Amino acid sequence: MPFRIFCRVLGMVLCSTALTAYFASHSIGTVVVTTLTCSLLLQLAYFASVLFLIWRTGCVSRAGQRAEHFDSCKEPDLDEVTNESANLLQRDKMLAISLLLP
């Protein structure tokens, strides 16, 4: 949301709160207290929403790390196992031949 729109919406909310409080009580003191209270509640809601977004981002990143961990722990493919065993046999043969040579 652009900053100008945010400021306009905030101003409209605070002005409507002030007008409602004035028409309900006809007291400037009540208007000031009510408007400040509304402003404080808006700030608390904003702070809580930022904390929620930070918490949700942390949960998503932890879930991603867990998914990566489980992907790396999957069982190897049968072709991979046979290729590795063939490579080990070839290496053992080469080692045995090199030991026989003087």
Side-chain angles (χ1 to χ4, degrees), residues 28-80:
I28 298 296
T30 304
V31 169
V32 170
V33 169
T34 304
T35 306
L36 289 176
T37 303
C38 180
S39 175
L40 180 66
L41 288 175
L42 287 172
Q43 289 177 10
L44 287 175
Y46 175 76
F47 183 71
S49 65
V50 168
L51 287 179
F52 173 73
L53 290 174
I54 292 170
W55 173 75
R56 189 175 70 174
T57 303
C59 289
V60 168
S61 67
R62 279 186 298 232
Q65 289 173 353
R66 276 188 248 135
E68 288 175 7
H69 176 71
F70 286 128
D71 285 343
S72 66
C73 292
K74 68 180 183 179
E75 293 183 18
D77 196 18
L78 184 60
D79 292 334
E80 292 174 4

